[in-house]
Amino acid sequence: MNRLPKSLLLLVLFVLSPAARAQDVALEVRAFMEGRDRAIKEAVRGINQNPASREKARALINDRIDFEEMGRLSLGAHFEGLTEAQRRDFVETFGGIVRAQSLSDLSVYNAVVRFDSVGVTGNKAYVLTAARVDNTTLKVEYLLHRRENLWWLYDIIIDDVGTVEGYSVSFQSFIRKRGFDQFMTSLRKKLAREKSAS
């Protein structure tokens, strides 16, 4: 049996291994998102029988969202001008609002989700899905990045409209007109309202 020369074998391994690694990472991302979807659905179904499931569902929905990255992208250049304390305050308040709102419409978590494709470039990934909600199919794309050896969501794009884009328009317009301090006052009031409603 003929053996490949060692130099040729090393070249083949060098050429093939990045593609193989990318495929492995794509499978890892898909498994994470599919597992997350199943766990959230199970927790949401249990809310009617066990109110304690409400907090479990809330945690499953939010605990792998990178609110700092989402907030940084939403504020754009305004984020760079903030002190560390201001950034922490904003991220905590912003994340609190999203967490409080996350169970306001449970029907979205009962959607039948089809995972269509996963793409990975370096430490970033996207997952393209189709979600069937109330006889309507929505294209839902999740953007993720890898941080501390875990995958974190930082944007959700529904029918080509991004969550970050929506926040960005609203937040940056407010800050330009009324300043960051007034913006944070408004966010804190909204968080208090959302917490009392949830």
Side-chain angles (χ1 to χ4, degrees), residues 10 14 18 31 40 51 58 61 68 77 82 87 93 97-98 101 107 125 129 143 154 159 167 180 184 186 188-189:
L10 288 173
F14 179 77
I40 289 170
R58 196 187 306 277
I61 292 163
E68 182 172 353
L82 301 179
R87 288 179 184 179
T93 307
I97 291 168
V98 175
Q101 292 175 335
S107 67
T129 71
L143 302 185
Y154 66 89
D159 281 347
Y167 285 131
F180 182 75
M184 284 305 302
S186 175
R188 288 188 198 100
K189 286 178 180 175

Side-chain angles (χ1 to χ4, degrees), residues 146-162:
R146 194 170 182 84
R147 181 172 58 80
E148 299 168 358
N149 290 320
L150 294 172
W151 287 99
W152 296 81
L153 291 153
Y154 66 89
D155 199 5
I156 302 169
I157 302 166
I158 302 173
D159 281 347
D160 300 318
V161 178

